[in-house]
């Protein structure tokens, strides 16, 4: 029998970029209409490195989603100089739910990131003590390493030794893209989880070169070979609680993507939950969507599951070619294409 509609516990997005200013105001409502909560990345310019900055950013996000009950879960940006005191302040704040590790130079706005993880040991020690998770962009920045191998090499060079040094530290391996990452997460203890994006589930690396260069399919970590996508699909189909939803929706204006040096980032926020539903249905695992989208994340973070529900119906619809973004425009994932699932608006 074909499923025509599904109702699931309201999901959360455990990895999201909302940006700031006019862009924040343009993109935040897309997330707020689907998700109850989202872990908000701190890679602004300047980066959100202190609790004081995080409070101010939280206020700006709340203003952008006024009239909804969306709850932003804030993060701090780890630097070589993050002090144990700042971590203590973050823990006491109650609204900061994680600390993000960007290896310096790994991706968008990572210049203030970590140059050597050993410099962060005092902060990591305190995070381990406080139970505050480390959220990891898992790629080495060594230019001699092939861009497609940077996640795997990060596991060997940084992540595995880090877990040995801080065995009680909670770690989210963000936006995993390889079979190596899946195997690693499965092999280590329950304190290590991973987010999986919709785009890494839908596309392999051919999508960046289909009939020409496709800047809207460029993100970091970059899309990988088909065998890696298959490993991600197998991981989510397994219903293992270590894997949960994190869109990594990363808005950049159209002209910043369609450029001679285009920005990394895929804007999937407008139809994120519909895209995940499409993937789960494609692998005949629609019954596993709710746990992945709504249970595994809060369980890992030690937060309550949401009380509300959302309903998705099997109604094909076309994704707009673009949306307004402040005084510019932005191209969403699957622009101009049809998606088989549609979110039923909350007050229908
Ligand atoms: O593609 C990406 N875009 N990957 C990241 O890690 C950062 C993000 C962004 O902020 O644009
Ligand atoms: Zn991200």
């Amino acid at each position: 029998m074909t499923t025509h509609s599904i109702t699931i516990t309201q999901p959360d997005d455990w990895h999201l970029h909302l940006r700031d200013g006019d862009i924040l105001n343009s993109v935040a409502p897309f997330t707020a209409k689907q998700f109850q909560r989202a872990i908000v990345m701190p890679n602004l310019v300047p980066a959100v490195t202190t609790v004081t900055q995080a409070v101010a950013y939280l206020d700006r996000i709340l203003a952008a989603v006024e009239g909804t009950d969306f709850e932003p879960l804030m993060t701090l940006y780890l630097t070589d100089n993050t002090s144990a005191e700042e971590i203590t302040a973050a823990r006491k704040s109650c609204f900061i739910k994680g600390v993000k590790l960007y290896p310096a130079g790994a991706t968008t706005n990572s210049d203030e990131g970590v140059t050597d993880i050993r410099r962060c040991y005092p902060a990591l020690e305190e995070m381990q003590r406080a139970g505050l998770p480390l959220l990891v962009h898992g790629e080495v920045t060594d230019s001699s390493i092939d861009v497609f191998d940077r996640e795997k090499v990060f596991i060997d060079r940084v992540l595995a030794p880090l877990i040995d040094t801080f065995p009680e530290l909670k770690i989210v391996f963000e936006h995993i893209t390889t079979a190596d990452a899946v195997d690693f997460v499965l092999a280590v203890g329950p304190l290590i989880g991973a987010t999986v994006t919709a785009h890494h589930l839908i596309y392999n690396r051919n999508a960046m070169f289909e009939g020409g260069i496709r800047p809207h399919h460029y993100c970091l970590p970059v899309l990988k070979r088909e065998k890696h996508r298959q490993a991600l699909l197998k991981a989510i189909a397994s219903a293992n609680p270590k894997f949960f939803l994190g869109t990594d929706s990363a808005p950049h204006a159209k002209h910043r993507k369609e450029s001679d040096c285009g920005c990394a980032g895929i804007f999937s926020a407008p139809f994120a939950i519909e895209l995940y539903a499409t993937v789960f249905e494609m692998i005949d695992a629609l019954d596993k969507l709710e746990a992945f989208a709504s249970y595994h994340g809060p369980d890992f973070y030690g937060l309550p599951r949401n009380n509300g529900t959302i309903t998705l119906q099997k109604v094909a619809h076309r994704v707009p070619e673009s949306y307004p973004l402040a005084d510019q425009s932005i191209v969403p994932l699957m622009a101009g294409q049809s998606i088989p699932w549609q979110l039923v608006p909350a007050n229908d």
Side-chain angles (χ1 to χ4, degrees), residues 109-189:
N109 302 340
S110 60
D111 297 352
E112 297 174 63
V114 171
T115 62
D116 181 341
I117 192 72
R118 286 168 297 191
R119 300 213 163 119
C120 304
Y121 279 8
L124 293 171
E125 196 77 62
E126 183 56 19
M127 286 165 60
Q128 175 169 255
R129 219 182 55 75
L132 194 61
L134 178 70
L135 318 181
V136 175
H137 183 108
E139 289 190 290
V140 292
T141 54
D142 183 340
S143 61
S144 69
I145 303 294
D146 190 285
V147 71
F148 293 98
D149 296 333
R150 288 184 186 176
E151 185 173 274
K152 178 180 167 23
V153 174
F154 182 89
I155 294 170
D156 301 336
R157 285 192 190 169
V158 184
L159 194 52
L162 187 67
I163 293 169
D164 286 343
T165 312
F166 296 97
E168 301 299 323
L169 181 63
K170 247 188 197 181
I171 298 177
V172 183
F173 194 173
E174 301 286 356
H175 42 54
I176 55 167
T177 63
T178 56
D180 310 277
V182 171
D183 291 345
F184 181 77
V185 169
L186 289 173
V188 289

Side-chain angles (χ1 to χ4, degrees), residues 73-74 85 93 95 139 152 161 166 214 228 242 272 345:
L73 306 174
M74 306 307 289
E85 290 72 29
S93 78
F95 67 89
E139 289 190 290
K152 178 180 167 23
F166 296 97
R214 298 286 184 171
H228 294 296
K242 283 172 159 266

Side-chain angles (χ1 to χ4, degrees), residues 29 40 44 72 78 144 154 180 193 201 208 235 254 259 268 290 314:
V40 181
L44 306 182
L78 188 67
S144 69
F154 182 89
D180 310 277
L201 291 166
M208 284 185 295
K254 185 171 189 282
S259 145
S268 59
E290 182 174 41
K314 194 85 187 276

Side-chain angles (χ1 to χ4, degrees), residues 49 143 181 200 263 295 304 347:
T49 56
S143 61
H200 290 108
C263 297
Y295 297 166
N347 47 7

Side-chain angles (χ1 to χ4, degrees), residues 238-303:
S238 75
N240 187 308
K242 283 172 159 266
F243 301 104
F244 43 93
L245 186 159
T247 63
D248 196 15
S249 177
H252 292 281
K254 185 171 189 282
H255 72 278
R256 306 278 310 263
K257 296 282 296 172
E258 298 173 5
S259 145
D260 62 354
C261 186
C263 297
I266 289 180
F267 181 51
S268 59
F271 298 104
I273 194 63
E274 288 96 328
L275 291 172
Y276 281 106
T278 305
V279 169
F280 274 84
E281 186 183 39
M282 229 152 46
I283 57 173
D284 206 13
L286 208 45
D287 58 327
K288 313 273 175 36
L289 173 66
E290 182 174 41
F292 174 80
S294 316
Y295 297 166
H296 298 166
D299 293 356
F300 181 87
Y301 274 84
L303 295 169

